[in-house]
């Protein structure tokens, strides 16, 4: 089947071609021309670039009309069909022979070679040599702006101006004015076997109906003009026997079917269809008016700017069963979204489907570097993972980016069909190239996205990933292939002799920009972030830079809160004549991370905190801790004061200082630190270290080994390895401390949020339904819960149908004082149950979890 198409997109490997009736096809790079394919083969065989071989973007431009022949229709795994095309003149013009060639004929040709006085053109006719003089090409070359000469493989719309030696030699012209004036006539002896798309003919209307016109042309040919290809300004004025100018759109010789168009841009050979004004693809229109409905095809709409649009049947409703034809009478209005533009039909393609209208992405142009996207795993290959982001949008997660650490067997972590959350590293809409990352640190990062050198201002801190570690330092990459150097002296606060043994490819780290030269694309970075104030440095101790140290580690003091900061409390030590100012980090308010945040939320400036331990003096400020387990360990001398005191087998109480992909760093009182490698972190298999530990968490660690030369300590955090002989007593002490702190929090909450203190898990309350959400959950209100958000999920509504204003009995499940949210249940089986006694085994399990 032969078709007239319009080039929509050009990539290095194929042409995307707009076809009539909203279809789209693809021309592979091997189907451009015979001469171009031979040059490709030669380049592959030689293994080096040929100067005379130009890329497809250098030869073709979007908006150019081309004659195509369908070579195959392929069906993908998801049922979508892909139309494969060829524009090779040998295939497009295969119905022609040398004796059939005549002056005035218009046909496709491809540049075969560049000669002194012109070009040899391949027109695909065996035994015929076609020549294009420079004089007949210069106007065209100037107009297309693709260089001073035509290029081998370039597709041309050729007009035969002279035929010699019974068709063995023909002279051609591609002059735009000559081509535009050409018209096919009976004298050119066109037959159905060699009739070509793109020919302009004079035709007579034979029949007019609601679906289009039937025309007669070239004496004995008949063809159809469908409703999409009538001239919009004359669509109601056509009548039998009317003479019109038409262009052949497609020819199916075996089916003896010819389709034509009456749209003005095609009525002069070599013309070009109008592009979509304003790049409106993706726009959502609140009201589109139905102009006509065709029950076998779809509906034509008039948009807000007066242009026409078409929606296929499958895009008029969610399913065939839900489709209602009466909603598409002329004049009816619908909400729709422009999903494409058909160049060959000069018409927008729209969809009325809710999921399409609400879709975040429709095309690659909608995606931006740094966007966090949801996708579905399509395949796993050695180079990485292919992910479907949306219909027609696919991305690649390189193997380096499948996880924060390198995965040797990614198939054990990911399965085909899995939903994954990715971040866009690079997006090139022109080349339909989308590179994604699954590194959790990058996906969840709240730091600025560095996607161009102009944004790399000195002092900027962001996340990057190591792509190279050598003796000179590390190369760190960001988004859009932006990369920079971390020199050896900026790798850390301590000298690092062998960077390749400390850092690894793919490692995600925080980096700070030191210097950037955007024009030269040079970027100097540092892993040393200390020049910026850290979490514990964002406060001033006293008007003096340093304070005299009066206290010893482990000494207990009472303090008064001076200021609340985002990450801790600035306090003054009571009963000290010099009013010494100190700092309590938020995570040192309790052994329990969640309780620490609650305490910080409830405490106010002016409150007094008793029994706080002096933990360390970092030169310019004093650090205090309220962690009960750490205080007990210091007071009972279950600590080491220096590296020399550490012995393998010791059980030490400390707190998590940092969580890395390869393990957890634990700090103990008196400043000793150790590393618990990933394999020694938990009795369970550890995929992601951040799923098991958080910074500030109190832990009991067992010393596994020490390296005196490098001053390194290896630890074990497995619960099975870290229990002491009297674990029951330790568990009860810790549990008692937990409930004591909860009681303290409840007392503090009564000062500002008394209502939340009355709601405890297990309490039965009467509530009024306020709203029922789309996801099935419900919101409640009551005088006893003023200022609180009371929610029941769809599951906890049970099988009850509720409506706003109804009163319901509910059971409190959970109270979140930080967010002022209360979760309740209306399920009868829970409301009828009596509270159960907690077994000792569950108590021990809870305590072990809290500590490890």
């Amino acid at each position: 089947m032969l078709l007239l198409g319009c080039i929509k997109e050009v990539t290095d490997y194929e042409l995307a071609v707009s076809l009539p009736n909203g279809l789209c096809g693809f021309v592979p790079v091997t189907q451009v021309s015979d001469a171009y394919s031979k040059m490709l083969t030669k380049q592959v065989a030689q293994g080096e670039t040929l100067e005379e071989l130009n890329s497809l973007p250098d030869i073709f431009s979007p908006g150019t009309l081309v004659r195509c022949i369908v070579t195959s229709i392929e069906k993908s795994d998801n049922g979508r069909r892909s139309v494969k095309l060829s524009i090779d003149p040998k295939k497009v013009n295969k119905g022609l022979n040398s004796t059939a060639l005549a002056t005035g004929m218009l046909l496709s040709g491809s540049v075969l070679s560049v000669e002194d006085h012109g070009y040899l053109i391949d027109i695909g006719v065996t035994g015929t040599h076609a020549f294009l003089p420079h004089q007949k090409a210069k106007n065209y070359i100037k107009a297309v702006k693709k260089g001073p000469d035509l290029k081998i493989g370039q597709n041309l719309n050729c007009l035969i101006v002279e035929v010699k030696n019974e068709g063995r030699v023909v002279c051609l012209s591609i002059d735009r004015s000559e081509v535009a004036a050409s018209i096919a006539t009976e004298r050119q002896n066109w037959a159905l076997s060699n009739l070509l798309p793109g020919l302009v003919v004079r035709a007579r209307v034979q029949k007019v109906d609601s679906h289009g016109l039937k025309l007669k042309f070239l004496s004995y040919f008949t063809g159809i003009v469908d409703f999409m290809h009538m001239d919009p300004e004359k669509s109601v004025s056509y009548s039998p026997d009317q003479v019109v100018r038409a262009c052949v759109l497609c020819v199916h010789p075996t089916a003896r079917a010819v389709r034509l168009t009456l749209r003005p841009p095609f009525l002069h050979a070599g013309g070009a269809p109008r592009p979509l004004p304003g790049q409106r693809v993706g726009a959502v229109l609140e009201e589109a008016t139905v102009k006509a409905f065709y029950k076998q095809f779809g509906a034509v709409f008039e948009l807000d700017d007066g242009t026409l649009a078409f929606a296929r049947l499958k895009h008029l409703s969610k399913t065939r069963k839900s489709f209602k034809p009466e909603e598409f009478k002329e004049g009816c209005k619908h909400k729709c979204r422009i999903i494409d533009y058909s160049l060959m039909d000069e018409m927008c393609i729209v969809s009325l489907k809710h999921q399409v209208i609400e879709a975040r992405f429709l095309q690659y142009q909608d995606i931006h570097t740094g966007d966090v996207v949801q996708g579905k795993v399509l395949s796993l290959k050695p180079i990485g993972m292919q992910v479907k982001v949306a219909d027609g949008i696919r991305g690649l997660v390189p193997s380096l980016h499948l996880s924060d650490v390198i995965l040797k067997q990614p198939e054990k972590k990911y399965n085909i069909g899995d939903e994954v959350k990715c971040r866009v590293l690079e997006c090139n809409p022109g080349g339909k190239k989308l590179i994604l990352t699954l590194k959790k640190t990058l996906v969840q990062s709240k730091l600025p996205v560095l996607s161009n050198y102009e944004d790399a201002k000195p002092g900027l801190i962001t996340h990057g990933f190591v792509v190279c570690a050598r003796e000179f330092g590390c190369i760190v990459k960001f988004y859009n292939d932006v990369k920079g150097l971390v020199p050896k002296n900026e790798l850390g606060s301590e000298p690092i002799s062998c960077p390749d043994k400390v850092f690894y490819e793919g490692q995600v780290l925080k980096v700070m920009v030191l210097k950037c030269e955007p024009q030269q694309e040079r970027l100097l970075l540092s892993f040393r972030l200390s020049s910026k104030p850290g979490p514990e440095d964002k406060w001033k101790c006293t008007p003096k830079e340093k304070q005299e140290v009066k206290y010893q580690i482990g000494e207990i003091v009472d303090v008064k809160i001076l200021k609340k900061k985002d990450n801790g409390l600035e306090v003054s030590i009571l009963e000290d004549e010099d009013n010494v100012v100190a700092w309590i980090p938020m995570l040192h308010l309790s052994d329990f991370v969640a309780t620490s945040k609650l305490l910080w939320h409830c405490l106010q400036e002016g409150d007094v905190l008793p029994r706080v331990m002096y933990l360390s003096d970092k030169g310019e400020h004093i650090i205090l801790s309220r962690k009960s387990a750490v205080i007990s360990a210091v007071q009972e001398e279950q600590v080491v004061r220096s590296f020399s005191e550490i012995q393998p087998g010791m059980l030490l109480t400390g707190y998590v200082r940092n969580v890395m992909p390869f393990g957890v760093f634990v700090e103990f009182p008196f400043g000793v630190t150790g590393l618990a490698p990933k394999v020694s972190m938990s009795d369970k298999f550890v995929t992601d270290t951040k799923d098991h530990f958080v910074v500030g968490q109190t832990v009991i660690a067992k010393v596994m080994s020490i390296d005196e030369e490098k001053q390194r300590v290896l630890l074990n955090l497995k619960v099975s390895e870290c229990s002491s002989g009297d674990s029951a007593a330790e568990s009860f002490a810790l549990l008692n401390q937990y409930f004591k702190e909860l009681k303290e929090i409840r007392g503090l909450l009564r000062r500002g949020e008394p209502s939340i203190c009355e709601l405890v898990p297990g309490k039965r309350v009467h509530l009024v339904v306020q709203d029922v959400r789309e996801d099935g959950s419900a919101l409640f209100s009551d005088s006893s819960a003023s200022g609180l958000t009371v929610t029941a999920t769809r599951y906890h509504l049970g099988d009850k149908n509720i409506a706003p204003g109804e009163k319901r009995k509910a059971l409190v499940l959970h109270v979140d004082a930080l967010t002022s949210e209360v979760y309740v249940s209306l399920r009868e089986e829970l409301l009828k149950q009596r509270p159960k006694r907690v077994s000792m085994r569950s108590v021990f399990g809870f305590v072990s979890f809290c500590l490890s």
Side-chain angles (χ1 to χ4, degrees), residues 523-663:
L523 187 58
L524 190 65
L525 308 165
S526 175
F527 288 154
R528 298 167 59 187
L529 312 180
S530 55
S531 58
K532 287 275 181 180
E536 296 174 354
D537 303 329
K538 294 181 180 178
W539 60 283
K540 294 181 181 178
C541 300
T542 63
K544 300 176 183 179
E545 283 299 315
K546 293 189 177 183
Q547 303 173 93
E548 185 183 350
V549 178
K550 303 181 183 180
Y551 302 94
Q552 300 295 321
I553 293 177
E555 191 169 342
I556 302 299
V557 296
D558 295 342
V559 299
K560 182 179 180 180
I561 300 173
L562 297 178
K563 286 184 182 179
K564 280 182 72 173
K565 302 293 182 72
D566 289 343
N567 49 0
L569 305 173
E570 185 179 334
V571 299
S572 65
I573 298 177
L574 298 177
E575 300 180 3
D576 188 293
E577 58 185 18
D578 293 331
N579 292 321
V580 174
V581 177
W583 175 256
I584 307 178
M586 182 197 295
L587 297 174
H588 273 275
L589 288 172
S590 170
D591 284 311
F592 309 94
V593 175
T595 308
S596 296
K597 295 176 181 178
L598 266 175
L599 276 167
W600 180 92
H601 176 75
C602 299
L603 289 168
Q604 298 176 2
E605 294 176 4
D607 286 348
V608 174
L609 294 177
R611 293 190 56 77
V612 181
M613 187 183 77
Y614 180 96
L615 183 65
S616 68
D617 173 19
K618 297 195 174 179
E620 294 183 0
H621 52 272
I622 296 168
I623 302 296
L624 307 178
S625 178
R626 208 166 169 263
K627 287 180 176 286
S628 176
V630 176
I631 294 172
S632 297
V634 174
Q635 291 181 335
E636 295 171 10
E637 292 295 324
Q638 301 294 321
V639 291
V640 289
R641 297 176 182 273
S642 65
F643 185 85
S644 59
E645 296 181 12
I646 303 174
Q647 297 295 326
M650 279 185 167
L651 289 176
L652 301 173
T653 302
Y655 43 91
V656 175
R657 183 174 179 81
N658 203 357
V659 181
M660 302 296 288
F662 51 82

Side-chain angles (χ1 to χ4, degrees), residues 775-795:
D775 61 2
S777 62
L779 287 175
F780 298 86
S781 63
D782 189 66
S783 58
S784 63
S786 59
L788 304 176
T789 303
V790 184
T791 308
T793 62
R794 184 169 63 179
Y795 171 79

Side-chain angles (χ1 to χ4, degrees), residues 96 99-100 102 105 185-192 194 220-221:
L96 289 170
T99 58
M105 272 189 168
T185 64
E186 290 84 349
R187 288 183 298 176
Q188 293 166 4
N189 296 320
W190 291 104
L192 190 61
N194 61 24
Y220 58 89
F221 288 99

Side-chain angles (χ1 to χ4, degrees), residues 21 90 107 238 374 402 467 473 492 498 576 601 743 766 808 848:
N21 299 110
K90 282 187 169 55
L107 72 171
Y238 293 112
Q374 290 288 138
L402 291 174
V467 293
C498 299
D576 188 293
H601 176 75
K743 185 177 180 181
H766 290 86
R808 293 285 181 171
S848 298

Side-chain angles (χ1 to χ4, degrees), residues 804-841:
E806 293 182 356
K807 289 187 176 181
R808 293 285 181 171
K809 190 175 182 181
L811 182 79
V812 178
L813 296 175
H814 175 65
V815 180
D816 190 336
L818 278 176
T819 59
S820 298
E821 292 181 344
V822 180
Y823 296 90
V824 299
S825 176
L826 275 63
R827 296 183 73 90
E828 288 294 337
E829 60 268 32
L830 293 179
L831 288 167
K832 291 178 181 178
Q833 277 187 0
R834 293 183 177 181
K836 293 183 179 180
R837 294 179 64 86
V838 180
S839 68
M840 297 309 297
R841 179 177 295 177

Side-chain angles (χ1 to χ4, degrees), residues 15-282:
L15 306 175
V17 179
S18 172
L19 300 176
N21 299 110
L23 299 175
C24 187
F26 300 91
V27 180
V29 68
T30 55
Q31 292 294 330
V32 171
S33 76
D34 193 41
Y36 196 79
S37 296
K38 286 178 180 178
M39 290 175 65
L40 285 173
T41 305
K42 183 179 178 181
Q43 178 171 284
V44 171
Q46 291 183 356
E48 57 185 36
T49 305
L50 299 178
E51 289 186 11
E52 62 270 27
L53 180 61
N54 293 277
S55 66
L56 294 185
D58 290 334
I59 302 175
F60 296 95
S61 300
T64 306
L65 291 175
V66 289
R67 295 180 182 86
C68 322
I69 186 169
V70 178
T71 56
S72 66
I73 299 177
E74 300 175 1
K75 194 172 183 181
S76 61
D77 296 336
N78 60 3
R80 288 179 171 270
R81 292 180 177 177
S82 177
V83 180
K84 299 298 181 184
L85 306 168
S86 175
I87 57 172
D88 186 345
K90 282 187 169 55
K91 295 179 180 179
V92 173
N93 299 335
K94 65 180 180 180
L96 289 170
N97 55 55
S98 57
T99 58
L101 299 177
T103 302
M105 272 189 168
L106 200 64
L107 72 171
S108 293
S110 176
V111 178
L112 188 63
S113 65
V114 182
E115 306 298 332
D116 291 339
H117 301 288
Y119 306 88
L120 287 180
I121 306 297
D122 177 12
I123 59 172
V125 178
T126 305
T128 297
H129 297 281
F131 183 72
L132 173 64
H134 280 304
Q135 188 67 25
K136 295 291 186 180
K138 64 179 184 180
N139 289 340
Y140 176 86
I141 293 171
K142 187 177 179 180
V144 296
K145 299 177 181 178
K146 286 289 184 180
D149 294 301
L150 297 177
K151 299 174 177 65
I152 295 175
Q154 193 164 347
N155 192 271
L156 304 170
N157 197 17
C158 304
L159 178 69
I160 298 177
V161 294
E162 188 178 1
V163 180
K164 299 178 181 178
N165 299 332
E166 298 179 346
R168 288 192 290 273
V169 177
V170 295
C171 188
L172 305 174
S173 173
I174 57 171
D175 185 277
R176 290 201 157 188
S177 58
E178 291 184 31
V179 170
S182 68
I183 190 164
T185 64
E186 290 84 349
R187 288 183 298 176
Q188 293 166 4
N189 296 320
W190 291 104
L192 190 61
S193 59
N194 61 24
L195 190 67
L196 293 174
L199 296 179
V200 177
V201 298
R202 289 189 180 89
R204 186 179 297 276
V205 178
Q206 283 190 322
K207 183 180 178 183
V208 180
D209 61 28
S210 59
H211 292 96
L213 308 174
K214 185 177 181 181
L215 304 179
K216 186 176 182 180
F217 62 99
L218 296 179
S219 299
Y220 58 89
F221 288 99
T222 57
I224 300 295
V225 178
D226 62 42
F227 62 92
M228 295 178 73
H229 282 275
M230 294 190 290
D231 186 343
E233 297 180 2
K234 302 177 181 178
S235 57
V236 295
S237 62
Y238 293 112
S239 59
D241 289 329
Q242 181 180 348
V243 175
V244 294
R245 194 180 179 103
C247 176
V248 178
L249 268 186
C250 60
V251 181
H252 202 313
T254 54
R256 303 184 67 80
V258 180
R259 289 188 176 270
L260 302 100
T261 180
L262 301 181
R263 287 188 167 272
F266 300 98
L267 300 185
H268 296 279
R274 292 183 291 259
L276 176 64
Q279 296 298 316
R280 298 188 69 192
V281 173

